[in-house]
Amino acid sequence: MDNLDGLSELMAGIRPRYGKFAVMGNHEYYAGIGQTLDFTRKAGFTMLRDEGVSAGCGISIAGVDDPAGRRYGLKDQVSEKALLQGLPHGPFTLLLKHRPVVDQGSVGLFDLQLSGHVHKGQIFPFNLIAWFYYPLRAGESVLGNGSHLYVSRGSGTWGPPIRFLAPPEITVIELVHEAW
């Protein structure tokens, strides 16, 4: 969260029709929850912390905190299944979850889960370790029962500021209503 002067103002200038939403990842806890929440607020994001909202046009969005928060004694994670079951059932439900871990009890309760965390391995040999823990590490996966997962490679890095065989990406996903 250091050396980000001006970035929150640039991001605040992006004003999507239905809002901007974020979730806590592991590095947001490491950097300091106060700094993180201040930055996301200034950038114009709504931070979803184990909660869901109706974004308009029949879109429900749920966001869950990264499990790293438990190490800081901040709070227990809510049941993902219960959170999703409590959302209004509209035509589309989006789940924001930092780590690309799929709760099998939640499959079918969301249409798309957006995740990141693994940076597609970022550098060798860490990519081998990432693949062991996160077999769904980049791109789209069909989970079944109408649910999909998209794992972004992300645009940043963790640790050393290098990437090898894992190019960065900024993902734009356009939701298009299909006529029945």
Side-chain angles (χ1 to χ4, degrees):
M1 296 301 299
D2 296 330
N3 302 317
L4 296 178
D5 294 338
L7 182 58
S8 62
E9 290 80 10
L10 284 172
M11 295 182 89
I14 301 170
R15 295 184 180 95
R17 181 183 318 172
Y18 299 111
K20 299 184 296 196
F21 301 90
V23 293
M24 297 288 285
N26 55 318
H27 285 272
E28 283 70 28
Y29 287 108
Y30 307 156
I33 194 166
Q35 280 184 291
T36 295
L37 294 174
D38 186 51
F39 176 83
T40 53
R41 181 188 53 76
K42 286 179 182 174
F45 286 87
T46 298
M47 182 70 77
L48 296 178
R49 303 198 61 211
D50 298 335
E51 61 189 319
V53 297
S54 176
C57 198
I59 299 173
S60 295
I61 303 176
V64 294
D65 275 5
D66 190 81
R70 287 185 286 207
R71 284 185 251 159
Y72 292 88
L74 295 174
K75 65 180 186 173
D76 290 328
Q77 207 165 8
V78 68
S79 160
E80 186 177 306
K81 183 177 180 179
L83 173 63
L84 290 165
Q85 287 175 327
L87 289 175
H89 296 288
F92 194 84
T93 299
L94 178 64
L95 173 61
L96 304 178
K97 187 175 179 182
H98 183 66
R99 295 179 196 226
V101 175
V102 177
D103 178 346
Q104 291 303 316
S106 297
V107 172
L109 297 174
F110 62 89
D111 297 289
L112 177 62
Q113 174 180 322
L114 296 178
S115 296
H117 183 65
V118 292
H119 303 264
K120 197 182 176 196
Q122 188 175 326
I123 53 175
F124 181 83
F126 298 111
N127 59 342
L128 301 175
I129 296 167
W131 292 339
F132 178 75
Y133 287 103
Y134 304 101
L136 307 173
R137 58 198 170 276
E140 182 189 8
S141 297
V142 176
L143 304 174
N145 205 14
S147 291
H148 298 257
L149 166 67
Y150 186 85
V151 183
S152 172
R153 296 187 309 259
S155 60
T157 62
W158 62 267
I162 60 170
R163 295 177 76 115
F164 181 67
L165 299 177
E169 73 175 348
I170 295 175
T171 308
V172 176
I173 296 174
E174 186 175 347
L175 302 178
V176 179
H177 177 73
E178 288 185 3
W180 297 96

